[in-house]
């Protein structure tokens, strides 16, 4: 099967993943930067193009993976489906429910589908936490604290307050709602320092669990990303902390 990747920020991770799949014969990569594409081709066995239509009109390409800025997700997903291609899309698939409904309508009309990778659900640290919660290995979950710390740029995206949750926090929200199903928001506090630096602190509540979440882009530029959680149960504490990665 031939696939295409749109975007070479997080798109590089998509390329690396596709290269491990024995069912994929060829990977076409689109970007507006010919210079960056040429540099990428020196690292990976891929086909490169700055012509988006050449990918959409290639009938041999059956799957398009979208790793472009989120404001382009809906447009690219609909274009790909209209060219009879299935889609994998980074989150958020759409910026609001109106965009999601438009995508769903095109899915029905074309018979194609849009998928997204809820990757946090496949991370061992969160699978372990879910197991402890569901099986009550340490009793009921009373309190959960989750932190996401990073530098001021995520990929190529500055993390001011308007971008912080969309670019850095949505996957965390998915993980939280997966582990504790009946979440409601009690309080939100923000610290809008600059166009690149911000933090948000959210207090959730469920029937039996208090949840505190913070997402911060105040670390140094070379800090990378670090996540940490502390889950307090009736009979013990489960604590996870990762080394910052870039």
């Amino acid at each position: 099967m031939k696939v295409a990747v749109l975007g070479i920020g997080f798109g590089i991770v998509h390329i690396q993943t596709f290269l491990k799949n024995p069912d994929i014969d060829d990977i076409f990569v689109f970007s507006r930067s010919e210079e960056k594409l040429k540099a990428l081709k020196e690292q990976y066995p891929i086909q490169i193009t700055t012509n988006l239509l050449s990918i959409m009109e290639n009938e041999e390409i059956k799957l398009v993976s979208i790793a472009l800025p989120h404001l382009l997700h809906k447009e690219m997903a609909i274009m790909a489906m209209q060219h009879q291609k299935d889609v994998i899309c980074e989150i958020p698939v759409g910026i609001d429910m109106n965009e999601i409904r438009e995508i769903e309508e095109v899915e029905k009309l074309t018979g194609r589908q849009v998928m997204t990778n809820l990757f946090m659900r496949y991370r061992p640290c969160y699978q372990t936490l879910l197991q402890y919660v569901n099986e009550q290995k340490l009793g009921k979950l009373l309190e959960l604290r989750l932190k996401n710390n990073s530098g001021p740029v995520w990929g190529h995206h500055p993390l001011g307050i308007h971008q912080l949750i969309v670019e850095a926090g949505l996957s965390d929200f998915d993980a939280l709602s997966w582990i504790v199903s009946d979440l409601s928001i009690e309080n939100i506090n923000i610290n809008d320092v600059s166009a690149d630096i911000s933090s948000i602190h959210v207090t959730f509540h469920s029937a039996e669990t208090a949840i505190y979440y913070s997402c911060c882009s105040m670390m140094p530029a070379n800090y990378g990303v670090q996540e940490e959680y502390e889950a307090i149960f009736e009979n013990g504490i489960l604590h996870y902390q990762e080394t910052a990665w870039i």
Side-chain angles (χ1 to χ4, degrees):
M1 180 174 71
K2 300 183 188 301
V3 302
V5 175
L6 309 185
I8 55 175
F10 285 147
I12 293 174
V13 178
H14 295 220
I15 293 167
Q16 294 169 339
T17 302
F18 285 138
L19 286 171
K20 296 175 183 177
N21 189 326
D23 294 326
I24 292 176
D25 306 316
D26 215 349
I27 303 171
F28 294 77
V29 180
F30 163 80
S31 171
R32 293 175 298 178
S33 173
E34 186 172 2
E35 181 181 350
K36 291 180 180 178
L37 283 172
K38 288 180 178 179
L40 197 63
K41 187 172 175 59
E42 293 180 359
Q43 301 178 55
Y44 302 104
I46 57 175
Q47 309 297 325
I48 60 174
T49 181
T50 57
N51 185 345
L52 179 62
L53 279 179
S54 71
I55 285 178
M56 295 299 177
E57 294 176 352
N58 188 334
E59 295 182 358
E60 292 186 322
I61 296 175
K62 304 300 182 183
L63 177 69
V64 171
S65 189
I66 301 173
L68 294 166
H70 62 273
L71 292 176
L72 297 173
H73 287 182
K74 183 205 76 170
E75 178 187 352
M76 294 297 104
I78 287 176
M79 182 185 297
M81 287 189 289
Q82 289 173 337
H83 284 84
Q84 289 302 301
K85 304 182 192 307
D86 291 313
V87 175
I88 295 175
C89 188
E90 281 285 347
I91 58 174
V93 176
I95 61 172
D96 56 33
M97 286 307 300
N98 289 329
E99 289 201 351
I100 297 298
R101 292 186 187 101
E102 286 184 59
I103 291 170
E104 288 178 336
E105 189 62 32
V106 177
E107 282 183 316
K108 294 174 184 177
L109 292 172
T110 62
R112 301 293 91 195
Q113 60 181 332
V114 177
M115 300 158 279
T116 192
N117 179 16
L118 303 177
F119 66 93
M120 298 286 276
R121 304 186 185 196
Y122 298 93
R123 296 186 63 189
C125 58
Y126 289 102
Q127 291 180 333
T128 298
L129 176 56
L130 181 68
Q131 185 180 24
Y132 270 72
V133 171
N134 288 344
E135 298 179 11
Q136 296 193 5
K137 290 187 173 186
L138 293 173
K140 294 179 180 179
L141 178 63
L142 303 178
E143 185 171 295
L144 176 60
R145 296 178 179 270
L146 173 61
K147 294 194 297 184
N148 183 337
N149 294 327
S150 77
V153 176
W154 182 277
H156 300 290
H157 307 292
L159 293 179
I161 195 62
H162 296 294
Q163 298 297 322
L164 184 66
I165 288 299
V166 172
E167 299 293 352
L170 279 181
S171 296
D172 296 330
F173 284 172
D174 172 65
L176 288 172
S177 63
W178 179 55
I179 292 163
V180 183
S181 58
D182 57 339
L183 290 179
S184 60
I185 295 176
E186 283 194 349
N187 188 49
I188 300 175
N189 289 309
I190 64 172
N191 188 359
D192 188 8
V193 178
S194 70
D196 296 343
I197 299 173
S198 63
S199 67
I200 184 167
H201 307 270
V202 184
T203 303
F204 297 92
H205 190 75
S206 72
E208 298 179 331
T209 308
I211 297 173
Y212 304 95
Y213 172 75
S214 67
C215 190
C216 168
S217 63
M218 297 180 178
M219 301 299 107
N222 62 351
Y223 183 84
V225 182
Q226 182 188 55
E227 285 212 354
E228 177 181 0
Y229 69 69
E230 183 177 73
I232 301 175
F233 296 87
E234 291 176 303
N235 302 310
I237 295 175
L238 190 63
H239 186 199
Y240 169 79
Q241 184 179 34
E242 68 183 7
T243 302
W245 55 272
I246 298 176

